[in-house]
Amino acid sequence: MQAIHDLVRDVPDFPSPGVLFKDITPLLSDARAFGQCIDALCEPWREASVGAVCGIESRGFIFGAAMARALGAGFVALRKKGKLPPPVIGMDYGLEYGRDRLEIGRHTLSPGERVIVVDDVLATGGTLEAGRRLVEQLGAEVIGAGVVIELEALAGRARWTGPAPLHALVRY
Ligand code: AMP
């Protein structure tokens, strides 16, 4: 995981003052490290009969789509408000500052389908938890979650409720 760690760039005060932004673009553009990252994200789920990987807009799409391909699963987008055509279901959730909304297409998952939720960064945990709840509202089963980076100081893991494991590749 050292290569992944070394290729995440800290950007202070972006996109707003006080935020230390974790820039994953150097990781994405390094063929070897990106491949290692996708392999590591998939590793816990190789024998798990995953039906779909749900990636969270927007950087979760990059990792989630590559994982779906590697696991022989489908890819489903969890998008920000107003981006998906109807019919959708949505969920509002709290961010560190303010609120946001995630949506999912109503017919994208089957009841009982085994799903992983994926994003680049776990910060306060509201985004990932909203994704989990949306998947469950469609009757699918969330068997776990994966993130590349966990920001431990923000304690997002505490908001990931239930028994499904949440795997993080690197922690800060
Ligand atoms: P949260 O709901 O607080 O866990 O925020 C997670 C979402 O916000 C993810 O989709 C991340 O892409 C983004 N995010 C939050 N904090 C950061 C950060 N410090 N650097 C990069 N992305 C972040």
Side-chain angles (χ1 to χ4, degrees):
M1 288 313 108
Q2 191 58 40
I4 294 170
H5 205 279
D6 292 347
L7 287 167
V8 174
R9 193 173 68 106
D10 282 353
V11 186
D13 298 319
F14 181 84
S16 48
V19 176
L20 184 63
F21 185 80
K22 294 291 184 186
D23 176 23
I24 51 146
T25 56
L27 167 62
L28 297 178
S29 60
D30 185 303
R32 195 176 143 90
F34 182 51
Q36 282 176 354
C37 179
I38 298 304
D39 288 348
L41 285 168
C42 288
E43 209 270 328
W45 314 111
R46 295 251 177 235
E47 310 298 326
S49 303
V50 177
V53 179
C54 285
I56 297 178
E57 185 167 0
S58 59
R59 291 181 293 275
F61 293 173
I62 301 165
F63 298 101
M67 286 175 70
R69 173 71 180 138
L71 292 170
F75 176 78
V76 172
L78 284 158
R79 298 210 63 179
K80 301 286 169 63
K81 181 180 179 176
K83 304 282 189 182
L84 286 169
V88 300
I89 60 168
M91 178 150 314
D92 294 313
Y93 60 96
L95 291 170
E96 208 174 347
Y97 304 103
R99 293 188 72 72
D100 214 335
R101 183 175 176 83
L102 269 190
E103 295 179 344
I104 190 169
R106 192 175 278 279
H107 304 302
T108 50
L109 296 170
S110 314
E113 189 166 3
R114 292 165 63 78
V115 170
I116 304 167
V117 184
V118 173
D119 205 355
D120 64 334
V121 173
L122 178 74
T124 65
T127 309
L128 201 68
E129 177 65 5
R132 185 185 69 78
R133 289 168 63 180
L134 281 172
V135 169
E136 289 181 351
Q137 279 190 16
L138 293 181
E141 181 191 357
V142 177
I143 61 167
V147 296
V148 181
I149 296 162
E150 177 176 0
L151 302 178
E152 287 184 314
L154 296 176
R157 186 172 283 277
R159 281 173 81 172
W160 179 255
T161 55
L166 163 56
H167 295 290
L169 298 189
V170 292
R171 294 179 189 81
Y172 295 87

